[in-house]
Structure formats: structure tokens, C-alpha cells
Amino acid sequence: MFKILQKTVSTGIVTVNYPGEPAKISERFRGRPSFDFDKWKDARAAAEVCPTGAISLRDKGHSRSVTVDYGLCVFCGLCAETSSDQAVRITQEFELATSDRRNLVLTAEYALNADGTHRVLRKVNRRSLDTQTDEDIGKKMRDAIHKVLRRSLAIREVDAGSCNGCELEIVALNNPIFDLERFGIQFVASPRHADMLLVTGPVTRNMELALLKTYRAMAEPKVVVAVGACGISGGIFGENYASLGGVNKVLPVDVYIPGCPPRPQALLHGILLAVGRLAERLP
Ligand code: SF4
């Protein structure tokens, strides 16, 4: 017993102060790829190597339309490796959660040279991600949870067919380092006690009914959060005989959290964003 106390005192506080302070992340962490559309000379190589089709091209005559969908992106970095002009690079940005799926899609239109390279950028559409990186977001949300619910926020998690990568990060949210309970947020076993449904994985046909039943068992007001590329779009699995694709194929989704898997701070950022949506639902 004495040894346990001694160890506890010598270890000190390990809990990180995110979002009160910026997240300390490893140099090797891969966040979203960023695209410098002005500089990009040829999108074909990146589209070819992209494993999920997050970069797609449509050529018509001498023009090309390029679409980048962060809801499909698994942050593998292959597009940056093929970008000899350095127009695509991997960043460490992870606070990408948004309530509008369209915010995750960028489009650009180019006029082409005869060899298929980009001659001139005609149009670009970058919808802004409604990221809240306010340093006080944690305190504000803790206050909002208390004001809205007069108690803790309860989350029910459903794995609709994931590889368990997202689950590992969700479990990490509950460890002493990320300590989700400091915001008054806890995971519950029953959907009847839950305010938020956190869904991982593409929705497999085997899990469709279970997911629907879980959603219907939750009392109003409730919010649905789709986690990771699979939860948003089906990710690497897409739509096939066993998978229906993203969660929005089955349920109305309030917040999308990109990543493969999203790191714990990215999950926290998305969950806190979803609390705002819950507040809007109250009478
Ligand atoms: S980082 Fe994203 S966009 Fe780039 S190749 Fe990988 S999945 Fe495709």
C-alpha cells in the first residue's frame, strides 16, 4: 500500500491539458494532407495511389475537376510522396471534426496542357472546417454540458463493423492521460441512458439492425457522431455486399470526425462539438 502511494506521488499528474493547451504530438504523427492547388502541376499520380479514392479526377476535354474528400482519407501520406512539386504535404492537423459533411470536400478545376498536366487553376472551392480551437473550449463545454443536461453527458458507443483501431483510441480517452471524465462525459452501457451515439466502422449489414435499435432506444434529444473514415464514408471498405458504407446511410449524423483512426484529442474535439449540437436540440 505504501509503495502504491509512493508511486502515485512520484508520478504526479499525467493528465494532459488539451484543449486548454495545444496538443503535444509526435513528430511522426500524420494528420490531414494539405493541397496547394495553385502549385499542383499534376493530380493524376496522387489520385492513382490514393487507396480509398479520396482524390478523384474527372477530365472533360481540356479541363479537369479534382475532388479531395477528407471523409474518405486515411491519412496514409501516399499522395504527398508522389507530389514532386511539393503541392501536397502531410500536416499534423487533426482537429477536423465538422457538423457538415460538405466541409470535408475540396474541389478544384484546372485547364489542361496537351500532356494532361495542369496549365492553369480556374476555380477552387475550399469550404472551411468549423473547427473550434478556442483554448477555453474545454471549460465552455463543461459548463454547457452542465447547463444543458444538469448532469454528465452519457455516450453509448457502437462498433458497426470497425477494425477496432477507433476503439483503441476511444479506450485511450478514458485513461488517466486524456481523462474524458474531467469534462463530465462518461460512457454508458445502455442506450436508454445515453445522450450521444458514437459510431465506429462502416455499417456492416449484420450490424444495421442493432445500430437502428440502439438509436431508437435513446431518448430525445440525442446526437449521432460518426467516427473515422469508415464511419463517415465506409473508408477503405466502401460499400459492398457486406457493408452499407458510412453511418449517414442509416442514421442522421450530427458530427463527423475524420481520421484513421482519429487520435484521442481529435475524438475529444468532435465530441465537444457535438455537445453544441445537443444544446441546439433542447426545447
Ligand atoms: S493521405 Fe488521404 S488523400 Fe492522400 S493518398 Fe492517403 S488516403 Fe488518399
Side-chain angles (χ1 to χ4, degrees):
M1 180 68 187
F2 180 72
K3 277 191 179 159
I4 292 174
L5 282 173
Q6 197 180 28
K7 175 88 178 149
T8 308
V9 172
S10 65
T11 303
I13 296 169
V14 293
T15 308
V16 295
N17 191 20
Y18 178 85
E21 288 169 8
K24 289 192 186 103
I25 42 184
S26 152
E27 277 174 19
R28 294 165 68 188
F29 170 72
R30 279 198 305 256
R32 79 169 176 101
S34 93
F35 296 83
D36 184 340
F37 290 106
D38 296 293
K39 208 167 146 190
W40 214 3
K41 290 287 166 246
D42 195 348
R44 288 174 297 184
E48 209 165 289
V49 293
C50 181
T52 56
I55 303 172
S56 58
L57 312 180
R58 216 179 55 239
D59 287 1
K60 199 173 168 193
H62 291 294
S63 58
R64 169 174 297 149
S65 126
V66 181
T67 305
V68 177
D69 186 348
Y70 287 121
L72 273 162
C73 178
V74 292
F75 300 1
C76 66
L78 291 176
C79 50
E81 283 173 25
T82 59
S83 172
S84 51
D85 50 14
Q86 310 291 310
V88 187
R89 59 184 184 84
I90 289 295
T91 69
Q92 294 210 312
E93 290 169 36
F94 62 86
E95 288 164 322
L96 305 173
T98 179
S99 49
D100 189 339
R101 174 75 177 87
R102 291 170 300 176
N103 285 344
L104 299 175
V105 180
L106 315 175
T107 55
E109 251 183 64
Y110 292 96
L112 299 178
N113 294 314
D115 62 357
T117 54
H118 303 163
R119 184 161 51 84
V120 61
L121 175 64
R122 280 194 187 136
K123 208 164 71 182
V124 63
N125 178 14
R126 301 181 186 92
R127 290 177 66 103
S128 61
L129 295 171
D130 51 353
T131 52
Q132 296 184 27
T133 47
D134 183 345
E135 290 194 349
D136 281 341
I137 188 174
K139 184 180 177 315
K140 281 183 190 160
M141 287 304 166
R142 197 167 42 225
D143 294 347
I145 291 169
H146 185 69
K147 198 170 147 201
V148 170
L149 301 169
R150 305 247 174 248
R151 56 168 170 76
S152 312
L153 174 80
I155 303 177
R156 175 71 168 96
E157 197 248 336
V158 170
D159 172 352
S162 89
C163 68
N164 282 166
C166 289
E167 273 65 33
L168 288 174
E169 303 296 322
I170 290 170
V171 168
L173 273 182
N174 289 297
N175 70 23
I177 297 174
F178 298 104
D179 191 16
L180 192 66
E181 294 214 14
R182 72 197 145 114
F183 299 102
I185 301 174
Q186 55 180 288
F187 284 85
V188 291
S190 168
R192 297 197 190 282
H193 302 156
D195 311 294
M196 185 183 291
L197 182 59
L198 196 68
V199 189
T200 62
V203 182
T204 53
R205 291 178 201 272
N206 282 348
M207 281 299 290
E208 181 187 6
L209 184 59
L211 182 61
L212 276 169
K213 281 185 171 176
T214 307
Y215 178 74
R216 288 178 192 145
M218 291 169 66
E220 294 287 350
K222 56 191 170 191
V223 281
V224 177
V225 178
V227 176
C230 296
I232 297 173
S233 62
I236 203 103
F237 303 103
E239 291 173 34
N240 55 52
Y241 73 95
S243 157
L244 293 162
V247 180
N248 61 4
K249 290 279 161 65
V250 181
L251 298 177
V253 174
D254 296 283
V255 170
Y256 300 86
I257 309 179
C260 185
R263 57 181 298 120
Q265 291 102 329
L267 290 166
L268 190 51
H269 174 256
I271 290 170
L272 296 178
L273 190 64
V275 173
R277 298 293 306 233
L278 193 60
E280 290 165 16
R281 298 273 154 82
L282 286 180

